[in-house]
Amino acid sequence: MPNPNRGSCGFQSSEFEQEYDRPSKSQLKREMTALQKLGEELIAESRDRVKRVPMPEDVRDAILECQQIKDHEGRRRQTQYVGKKMRTLEPHEIAEIQKTLDSWRGLSKADTAAMHALERHRDRLLKDDGALTELLAKHPELDVQQVRTMIRNARKEQAENKPPKAYREIFQLLKELQKSSAQESDDGVDQDDEDQHDEHN
């Protein structure tokens, strides 16, 4: 049965869509931070490698120039400039750069997907208190106070544009939990195999 209240709230649904089509400020900030970080990763690579990465010439030149700057303040400014140049890239160009860096680190697609899943989980923890409740239900051994403090600090870092120390700590924590869960499930499989072996004997 159709809802008699639908469409009678005094606004057009298209207004809603426009509102949600635009990325939020915090999302834009996260994307800018991610591109800045990607630029810094490229600066840390050798010059030969940077020359092999598929990217526009002006972006590559900015990175190569930054690698030559020894002065701390000058390098910091050039690193910021590299981040600015990174933001001019198209999504497919960013994906190509990321793919190249991942291949050098020997990350498989599965590893990359797992890493992105952890990043999404971390962002959910910062946005939604319900995500923390879920995490604690799965991992009752966690120190609730410690995790709450980490989340609070990470939110503060984002609000005040500070270095993402707690933000990284949350990622490491989630990574450790994932690792221990994987080990437990492996141990469980081994135990099942042993039980079945005992039954057959």
Side-chain angles (χ1 to χ4, degrees):
M1 181 178 161
N3 182 347
N5 296 323
R6 192 184 298 284
S8 62
C9 303
F11 53 75
Q12 298 293 323
S13 62
S14 60
E15 287 175 25
F16 242 6
E17 284 163 18
Q18 283 168 2
E19 189 65 34
Y20 283 94
D21 276 350
R22 288 200 302 269
S24 66
K25 278 184 186 172
S26 55
Q27 188 188 337
L28 285 171
K29 196 170 166 187
R30 275 199 302 276
E31 285 169 8
M32 281 166 65
T33 306
L35 287 170
Q36 182 73 47
K37 188 167 157 261
L38 191 60
E40 287 168 16
E41 285 177 36
L42 287 164
I43 292 165
E45 292 292 344
S46 69
R47 292 177 73 76
D48 287 342
R49 276 189 161 183
V50 171
K51 287 173 186 173
R52 295 207 305 270
V53 180
M55 69 175 105
E57 282 304 312
D58 58 332
V59 181
R60 182 181 285 111
D61 289 345
I63 291 164
L64 292 172
E65 191 179 327
C66 188
Q67 290 179 329
Q68 289 180 301
I69 299 172
K70 297 285 180 273
D71 172 61
H72 177 73
E73 182 54 28
R75 193 176 173 100
R76 188 190 69 78
R77 275 204 302 272
Q78 184 66 14
T79 301
Q80 291 295 321
Y81 177 67
V82 167
K84 200 172 165 187
K85 297 299 282 181
M86 295 296 290
R87 296 198 285 279
T88 66
L89 296 172
E90 295 292 326
H92 67 92
E93 292 173 320
I94 295 163
E96 278 299 313
I97 292 170
Q98 190 66 64
K99 200 166 97 180
T100 307
L101 286 173
D102 288 349
S103 70
W104 289 341
R105 296 196 184 100
L107 283 176
S108 68
K109 271 188 182 172
D111 291 333
T112 309
M115 193 171 73
H116 290 324
L118 287 176
E119 285 169 352
R120 283 196 300 274
H121 192 176
R122 170 180 62 187
D123 289 343
R124 213 164 69 243
L125 281 169
L126 296 190
K127 272 191 239 160
D128 179 11
D129 290 337
L132 176 59
T133 311
E134 282 175 32
L135 183 71
L136 295 170
K138 278 186 196 166
H139 301 279
E141 75 280 6
L142 281 175
D143 181 335
V144 186
Q145 243 0 80
Q146 186 192 13
V147 181
R148 278 190 202 283
T149 304
M150 282 160 87
I151 291 171
R152 197 167 53 243
N153 289 345
R155 284 172 179 162
K156 199 174 170 191
E157 285 167 0
Q158 287 187 346
E160 297 174 8
N161 208 7
K162 287 184 172 177
K165 185 168 175 279
Y167 192 64
R168 290 198 184 114
E169 283 172 357
I170 294 170
F171 183 83
Q172 288 305 322
L173 173 74
L174 293 173
K175 202 172 166 185
E176 288 302 317
L177 290 174
Q178 190 186 54
K179 210 187 286 179
S180 61
S181 296
Q183 278 174 347
E184 277 171 30
S185 59
D186 285 351
D187 292 347
V189 169
D190 293 345
Q191 190 57 51
D192 287 347
D193 288 347
E194 280 176 28
D195 291 348
Q196 283 172 6
H197 184 70
D198 290 344
E199 281 171 23
H200 288 308
N201 287 344

